[in-house]
Amino acid sequence: MSSAQRGPYERPHRPARPAGVPANDRRSAIRQAALRLFAEQGYRATTMTDIGAAVGIRGPSLYKHVASKHELLAEIMIGTMEQLIADNIDAVRGADGVREQLRRAVEAHIRYHARHRLEAFVGNREIGSLEQPDQERVLSRRSDYERRFRELIERGVTEGAFRVQSARIASYSILDMGIGVASWFHEGGEFSVDQLAYQYGDIALRIVGAQSHGGAGAEGE
């Protein structure tokens, strides 16, 4: 990542950590507390005092670890998009053919949203709370992520593997499935994360009008 892309939360130097507490552990705890509070009561209703209380840090001591709640929101939202993109790259790299690449990309998308429901919820709801340039950083990563799905679909159409009128609408429909999963999925329910991901992979292939080929629908059964 170039220096021009770095957000204010990506400063190379951090304040010294309190004795006996690893800096990464303390900051991670603060980030998780902020994430939970942003999801439960909204970014604007959450104060730094709320975040500090959630991790047992009082007043000014919190600012030794984080400059502002906006810094935390930007870190959460940009980090979410960067992880989704990294997961997508890994999924597509490990698959042969456009049909399997799309399936694996969708499975990665669903797995993330099932396992990181709070990040998905906050990322979807709080985009308007981000200040510039961080809002643009998130939006550019969202565009990049959508483009990866759209280009797979367009390639599938060109190769005769998919049949769809609009690759963009198809990609949006597939991406929306992740938000839906984040809103209702709970561990320990009827389906495991892997079962859920595979079934959504089937649904995505139907969305793009994937042409059937020997035995694909039976995979994983």
Side-chain angles (χ1 to χ4, degrees), residues 104-137:
R104 297 305 181 194
V106 171
E107 289 177 354
H109 181 67
I110 296 301
R111 284 191 180 96
Y112 183 90
H113 283 79
R115 291 171 173 157
H116 300 275
R117 297 173 62 240
L118 296 185
E119 287 90 341
F121 181 70
V122 170
N124 188 55
R125 184 179 67 181
E126 298 292 356
I127 186 66
S129 298
L130 278 177
E131 300 169 7
Q132 296 295 0
D134 292 313
Q135 185 182 92
E136 181 54 36
R137 290 189 174 101

Coordinates of all heavy atoms in Angstrom, one line a residue, residues 104-137:
R104 N -16.2 -20.4 -5.9 CA -15.2 -20.3 -4.7 C -15.2 -18.8 -4.2 O -15.1 -18.6 -3.0 CB -13.8 -20.7 -5.1 CG -13.7 -22.1 -5.5 CD -14.2 -23.1 -4.5 NE -14.0 -24.5 -4.9 CZ -14.5 -25.5 -4.3 NH1 -15.4 -25.3 -3.3 NH2 -14.3 -26.7 -4.7
A105 N -15.4 -17.9 -5.1 CA -15.4 -16.5 -4.7 C -16.7 -16.2 -3.9 O -16.6 -15.5 -2.9 CB -15.4 -15.6 -5.9
V106 N -17.8 -16.8 -4.3 CA -19.1 -16.6 -3.6 C -19.0 -17.3 -2.2 O -19.4 -16.8 -1.2 CB -20.2 -17.2 -4.4 CG1 -21.5 -17.2 -3.5 CG2 -20.5 -16.3 -5.6
E107 N -18.4 -18.5 -2.2 CA -18.2 -19.2 -0.9 C -17.4 -18.4 0.1 O -17.7 -18.3 1.3 CB -17.6 -20.6 -1.1 CG -18.5 -21.6 -1.8 CD -17.9 -22.9 -2.1 OE1 -16.7 -23.0 -1.9 OE2 -18.6 -23.8 -2.6
A108 N -16.3 -17.8 -0.4 CA -15.5 -16.9 0.5 C -16.3 -15.7 1.0 O -16.2 -15.3 2.1 CB -14.2 -16.5 -0.3
H109 N -17.1 -15.2 0.1 CA -17.9 -14.0 0.4 C -18.9 -14.4 1.5 O -19.1 -13.6 2.5 CB -18.7 -13.6 -0.8 CG -19.5 -12.4 -0.7 ND1 -19.1 -11.1 -0.4 CD2 -20.9 -12.3 -0.7 CE1 -20.1 -10.3 -0.3 NE2 -21.2 -11.0 -0.5
I110 N -19.5 -15.5 1.4 CA -20.5 -15.9 2.4 C -19.9 -16.3 3.7 O -20.4 -16.0 4.8 CB -21.4 -17.1 1.8 CG1 -22.2 -16.7 0.6 CG2 -22.3 -17.7 2.9 CD1 -23.2 -15.5 0.9
R111 N -18.8 -17.0 3.6 CA -18.1 -17.4 4.9 C -17.7 -16.2 5.7 O -17.8 -16.1 6.9 CB -16.8 -18.2 4.5 CG -17.1 -19.7 4.1 CD -15.8 -20.5 4.1 NE -16.1 -21.8 3.7 CZ -16.0 -22.3 2.5 NH1 -15.6 -21.5 1.5 NH2 -16.3 -23.6 2.2
Y112 N -17.2 -15.1 5.0 CA -16.8 -13.9 5.7 C -18.0 -13.3 6.4 O -17.9 -13.0 7.6 CB -16.1 -12.9 4.8 CG -15.7 -11.7 5.6 CD1 -14.4 -11.6 6.1 CD2 -16.5 -10.6 5.8 CE1 -14.0 -10.6 6.9 CE2 -16.1 -9.6 6.6 CZ -14.9 -9.5 7.1 OH -14.5 -8.5 7.9
H113 N -19.1 -13.2 5.7 CA -20.2 -12.5 6.3 C -20.9 -13.3 7.4 O -21.5 -12.8 8.3 CB -21.2 -12.2 5.2 CG -20.8 -11.0 4.3 ND1 -19.9 -11.1 3.3 CD2 -21.2 -9.7 4.4 CE1 -19.7 -9.9 2.8 NE2 -20.5 -9.0 3.4
A114 N -20.8 -14.7 7.3 CA -21.3 -15.5 8.4 C -20.5 -15.4 9.6 O -21.0 -15.5 10.7 CB -21.4 -17.0 7.9
R115 N -19.2 -15.3 9.4 CA -18.2 -15.3 10.6 C -17.9 -13.9 11.1 O -17.3 -13.8 12.2 CB -17.0 -16.0 10.1 CG -17.2 -17.5 9.9 CD -15.9 -18.2 9.3 NE -16.1 -19.6 9.2 CZ -15.4 -20.4 8.4 NH1 -14.6 -19.9 7.5 NH2 -15.7 -21.7 8.4
H116 N -18.2 -12.9 10.3 CA -17.9 -11.5 10.8 C -19.1 -10.7 10.6 O -19.1 -9.7 9.9 CB -16.7 -11.0 9.9 CG -15.5 -11.8 10.0 ND1 -14.5 -11.6 11.0 CD2 -15.0 -12.8 9.3 CE1 -13.6 -12.5 10.9 NE2 -13.8 -13.2 9.8
R117 N -20.2 -11.0 11.3 CA -21.5 -10.4 11.1 C -21.4 -8.9 11.6 O -22.0 -8.1 11.0 CB -22.5 -11.2 11.9 CG -22.7 -12.6 11.4 CD -23.6 -13.4 12.3 NE -25.0 -12.8 12.3 CZ -25.6 -12.4 13.4 NH1 -25.0 -12.5 14.6 NH2 -26.8 -11.9 13.4
L118 N -20.7 -8.6 12.7 CA -20.7 -7.3 13.1 C -19.9 -6.4 12.2 O -20.4 -5.2 11.9 CB -20.0 -7.2 14.5 CG -20.7 -7.9 15.7 CD1 -20.0 -7.6 17.0 CD2 -22.2 -7.5 15.8
E119 N -18.8 -6.8 11.6 CA -18.1 -6.1 10.7 C -18.9 -5.8 9.4 O -18.9 -4.7 8.9 CB -16.8 -6.8 10.2 CG -15.7 -6.8 11.3 CD -15.8 -8.0 12.2 OE1 -16.8 -8.6 12.3 OE2 -14.7 -8.3 12.8
A120 N -19.7 -6.8 9.0 CA -20.5 -6.6 7.8 C -21.6 -5.6 8.1 O -21.9 -4.7 7.3 CB -21.1 -8.0 7.4
F121 N -22.2 -5.7 9.3 CA -23.3 -4.8 9.6 C -22.8 -3.4 9.8 O -23.4 -2.5 9.2 CB -23.9 -5.3 11.0 CG -25.1 -4.4 11.4 CD1 -26.3 -4.5 10.8 CD2 -25.0 -3.6 12.5 CE1 -27.4 -3.7 11.2 CE2 -26.0 -2.8 12.9 CZ -27.2 -2.9 12.3
V122 N -21.7 -3.2 10.5 CA -21.2 -1.8 10.6 C -20.7 -1.2 9.3 O -21.0 -0.1 8.9 CB -20.0 -1.8 11.6 CG1 -19.3 -0.4 11.6 CG2 -20.6 -2.1 13.0
G123 N -20.1 -2.1 8.5 CA -19.6 -1.6 7.2 C -20.7 -1.2 6.3 O -20.6 -0.2 5.5
N124 N -21.9 -1.9 6.3 CA -23.0 -1.6 5.5 C -23.7 -0.3 6.0 O -24.2 0.5 5.2 CB -24.0 -2.8 5.4 CG -25.1 -2.6 4.4 OD1 -24.8 -2.3 3.2 ND2 -26.3 -2.7 4.9
R125 N -23.8 -0.2 7.3 CA -24.7 0.9 7.8 C -23.9 2.2 8.0 O -24.5 3.3 7.9 CB -25.2 0.5 9.2 CG -26.2 1.5 9.8 CD -26.7 1.0 11.2 NE -25.7 1.0 12.2 CZ -25.9 0.6 13.5 NH1 -27.1 0.2 13.8 NH2 -24.9 0.6 14.3
E126 N -22.6 2.2 8.3 CA -22.0 3.4 8.7 C -21.1 4.1 7.7 O -20.3 5.0 8.0 CB -21.1 3.1 9.9 CG -21.8 2.6 11.2 CD -22.7 3.6 11.8 OE1 -22.7 4.8 11.4 OE2 -23.4 3.3 12.8
I127 N -21.3 3.8 6.4 CA -20.5 4.4 5.4 C -20.6 5.9 5.4 O -19.7 6.7 5.2 CB -20.8 3.8 4.0 CG1 -19.8 4.4 2.9 CG2 -22.2 4.1 3.6 CD1 -18.4 4.0 3.1
G128 N -21.8 6.4 5.7 CA -22.1 7.8 5.7 C -21.4 8.5 6.9 O -21.3 9.7 7.0
S129 N -21.0 7.7 7.9 CA -20.4 8.3 9.1 C -18.9 8.6 8.9 O -18.2 9.3 9.7 CB -20.6 7.4 10.3 OG -21.9 7.2 10.6
L130 N -18.3 8.0 7.9 CA -16.9 8.1 7.6 C -16.6 9.5 7.0 O -17.3 10.0 6.1 CB -16.4 7.1 6.6 CG -16.0 5.7 7.2 CD1 -15.6 4.8 6.1 CD2 -14.9 5.8 8.2
E131 N -15.5 10.1 7.5 CA -15.1 11.4 6.9 C -14.1 11.1 5.8 O -13.5 10.0 5.7 CB -14.4 12.2 8.0 CG -15.3 12.5 9.2 CD -14.6 13.1 10.4 OE1 -13.3 13.4 10.2 OE2 -15.2 13.3 11.4
Q132 N -13.9 12.1 4.9 CA -12.9 11.9 3.9 C -11.5 12.1 4.5 O -11.3 12.8 5.4 CB -13.1 13.0 2.8 CG -14.4 12.8 2.1 CD -14.5 11.5 1.3 OE1 -13.6 10.7 1.2 NE2 -15.7 11.3 0.6
P133 N -10.5 11.5 3.9 CA -10.5 10.6 2.7 C -10.9 9.2 3.0 O -10.8 8.4 2.1 CB -9.1 10.7 2.2 CG -8.3 10.8 3.5 CD -9.1 11.7 4.4
D134 N -11.2 8.8 4.2 CA -11.4 7.4 4.6 C -12.7 6.9 3.9 O -12.7 5.7 3.5 CB -11.5 7.2 6.1 CG -10.2 7.5 6.8 OD1 -9.2 6.9 6.3 OD2 -10.1 8.2 7.8
Q135 N -13.7 7.7 3.7 CA -14.9 7.2 3.0 C -14.5 6.8 1.6 O -15.0 5.8 1.1 CB -16.0 8.3 3.0 CG -17.3 7.8 2.4 CD -18.3 8.9 2.4 OE1 -18.5 9.6 1.4 NE2 -19.1 9.0 3.5
E136 N -13.8 7.6 0.9 CA -13.4 7.3 -0.4 C -12.5 6.0 -0.5 O -12.6 5.2 -1.4 CB -12.6 8.5 -1.1 CG -12.2 8.2 -2.5 CD -13.3 7.8 -3.4 OE1 -14.5 8.3 -3.2 OE2 -13.1 7.0 -4.3
R137 N -11.7 5.8 0.5 CA -10.9 4.6 0.6 C -11.7 3.4 0.7 O -11.5 2.4 0.0 CB -9.9 4.7 1.8 CG -8.8 5.7 1.6 CD -7.7 5.6 2.7 NE -6.6 6.5 2.5 CZ -6.5 7.6 3.1 NH1 -7.3 8.0 4.0 NH2 -5.4 8.4 2.8

